[in-house]
Amino acid sequence: MKTYKEVDVVLVGGGWTGGILGKEFSEAGMTVVCLERGGPHTADDFSVPRMRDELAVGQRMSMMVNTTDNTETVRNKSAETALPYRRLGSYLMGTGVGGASTHWNGHTWRWNDNDFQIRSKYEAKYGKQYIPADMTIQDWGITYAELEPYYDKFEKVAGISAKAGNVQGRKIVGGNVFEAPRRNEYPMPPLVYGYAGDLFAEAAGKMGYHPFPRPTANASVPYTNPDGVKFGECQYCGHCERFGCEANAKGGAQMTVIPAALRQSTFELRTYAWVTRVERDASGKKATGVTYTNTVTGEECFQPAKLVVLCAFGLNNVHLMMLSGIGEIYDPVSGKGLLGKNYCYQTGSAAMLFFEDKHFHPYMATAGIGAIMDDFHGNWDFDRAPFGFVGGSTVGTAMYGGRPIQWHPTPAGTPAWGSAWKQETAKWYDRSMNITATGTVMPFRGNYLDLDPTYRNRFGSPLMRMTFDYQDNERKISAHSADVINRIAAALNPTHLSKASARQSWSSVPYQSTHNTGGTIMGTHPGNSVTNKYGQVWQVDNLFIMGASLFPHNSAYNPTGPVAAIAYMAADIIKNVYVKQPGKLIHA
């Protein structure tokens, strides 16, 4: 085994959190090695026509993880036999420098105290009996006020385009009036709606709702961020999710924080470095570094470090903790153990509208195009009691791009193939729009992650097993959002309407979102969490975890905002407090 010289910090993963911490630590003079299991990206990788190859990139997932190397096994219930998730569908795991930020949609939200203090707020408003006995929600141990300056910092670094709805307590029509107070307006104005967004916003507004432009990391105008990184203006090319940005307009770690870190002599990025284990000393209470395999040469390596931070995709962080034997894996029968507990996903619903007399030009689009409303999630005045659920949903248009393989909507009753299908596809390609909802998922006793007893990855390690299904709470949320969608859709008087319906059970086959959360949850003490609010592992105080695996539940919002804000907050306390006096940052 090859052993390297000890460094101050080793980062596992080169996405948003690895890039943020790498930049912050190296600029503070700390020696940092960032290990990324995938390869690097060059400017040619995102160039035209290469990045417009919908078959290779959008359908064959050239920017995603190869599931023959590593994946999860999945099942809905513990009584079932889990099988490997080999064909990417429900969620898409990225690979390479920048991680999922190279091919994300860019949607960026500020989660607030409705999420961070979820149990306390629901018990205060609805009573303790309102929360189902097997729903394992808990407060996060963090507040919006603590994260606000870090949200602000990330929005400037990533180049978020949007319209604020609450600046220092002043509500602003046209933005999200249900958001928590922010100190500043967004760095750039919002992207244009597009025709579908205009129709949705008008109809929703007439019904008393509060539509606004979707916040997104797509530059609406040429922009230079605080680190001097120059963004191009979004070209509305229709190739965002699953694709890299040809115009350098979509904020990602590979073009912002990682290049800034690489300018520091104390930062080193190693690609094709697949970490297989976090190593500890004889006491088990101190991490000594990580073991990884160079996937090009096959050589096994050990990188010693004073501080280890797991910055991979959330599911991978949980898996690495399990393979390293750190913490007790959750047992849903006894309720013991915390590793793998509170795994969550997202729910939703969608309708497709067809118009004889309207043209939407879906090929002129971007990930953040369209209007959305937060009346049923961020709006704490919305009374959940009549519907009987915890959480909520956001509702809006989602016209991401009319790419020919993926976008061919037809009304109900259309043949699935043949000349009639071709005629209907040609007719409705430009005459269709959708309205979608994204809903919260709460943690339940029977939804969890553990190690599979049968299947193994390319290194011979057990795959992680996912046991997950929607519960009554999520079915109620989905039914409510479907009703809202259908009422707005009916107000637009389409020629044909494929109505939204409630999701009943989770399937791994159709894409839904890459918003997988939980498994190494944060909390207030070692009895209810794997880490404290800074991501510091209670059992091993020089081991930190970043990313959505920290989330005790999942919101209706996309997770990137708090993922980045928590990383910036953790970087600050590690630089300014932990380094001077290593040890527990919170005693509980």
Side-chain angles (χ1 to χ4, degrees), residues 35 80 107 283 299 362 373 440:
L35 302 173
E80 300 170 349
H107 302 173
S283 73
E299 184 177 30
M373 65 191 202
T440 58

Side-chain angles (χ1 to χ4, degrees), residues 163 173-176 190-202 210-215 236 360 364-366 368-373 397-400:
K163 176 63 181 174
V173 176
N176 183 7
L191 297 166
V192 297
Y193 274 159
Y195 189 32
D198 287 338
L199 291 177
F200 174 85
E202 181 180 7
H210 303 79
F212 59 92
R214 189 187 305 268
Y236 298 88
F360 296 95
M364 293 190 296
T366 185
I369 198 170
I372 195 164
M373 65 191 202
T397 53
M399 304 289 284
Y400 295 156

Side-chain angles (χ1 to χ4, degrees), residues 82-255:
L83 296 174
Y85 177 61
R86 293 297 190 195
R87 178 173 292 181
L88 292 175
S90 179
Y91 53 93
L92 307 176
M93 300 166 287
T95 189
V97 174
S101 74
T102 61
H103 53 75
W104 68 319
N105 265 330
H107 302 173
T108 306
W109 295 84
R110 292 185 172 199
W111 296 26
N112 58 41
D113 289 335
N114 291 356
D115 283 310
F116 301 146
Q117 299 169 28
I118 186 166
R119 178 170 281 276
S120 296
K121 290 179 75 71
Y122 273 86
E123 287 184 351
K125 185 171 183 177
Y126 299 106
K128 292 185 178 182
Q129 74 285 350
Y130 185 78
I131 299 172
D134 59 343
M135 181 187 289
T136 55
I137 59 172
Q138 65 185 48
D139 292 353
W140 294 32
I142 200 170
T143 67
Y144 173 80
E146 289 177 277
L147 287 186
E148 199 285 331
Y150 301 109
Y151 279 132
D152 186 75
K153 184 172 184 176
F154 178 66
E155 288 164 0
K156 291 180 171 69
V157 169
I160 309 301
S161 299
K163 176 63 181 174
N166 185 347
V167 177
Q168 299 179 13
R170 180 172 59 90
K171 299 296 181 70
I172 302 172
V173 176
N176 183 7
V177 295
F178 302 116
E179 71 174 346
R182 57 172 57 243
R183 63 183 61 194
N184 294 311
E185 178 60 86
Y186 283 98
M188 284 172 281
L191 297 166
V192 297
Y193 274 159
Y195 189 32
D198 287 338
L199 291 177
F200 174 85
E202 181 180 7
K206 287 180 179 178
M207 296 173 72
Y209 300 135
H210 303 79
F212 59 92
R214 189 187 305 268
T216 184
N218 302 87
S220 60
V221 295
Y223 174 69
T224 302
N225 82 359
D227 297 314
V229 176
K230 296 186 181 299
F231 290 63
E233 183 176 353
C234 179
Q235 302 298 300
Y236 298 88
C237 72
H239 291 71
C240 266
E241 85 286 352
R242 307 188 186 191
F243 297 82
C245 184
E246 64 192 55
N248 213 45
K250 182 169 64 175
Q254 85 288 349
M255 52 86 72

Side-chain angles (χ1 to χ4, degrees), residues 175 248 314 412 421 557 578:
N248 213 45
W421 175 81
Y557 300 149
Y578 178 88

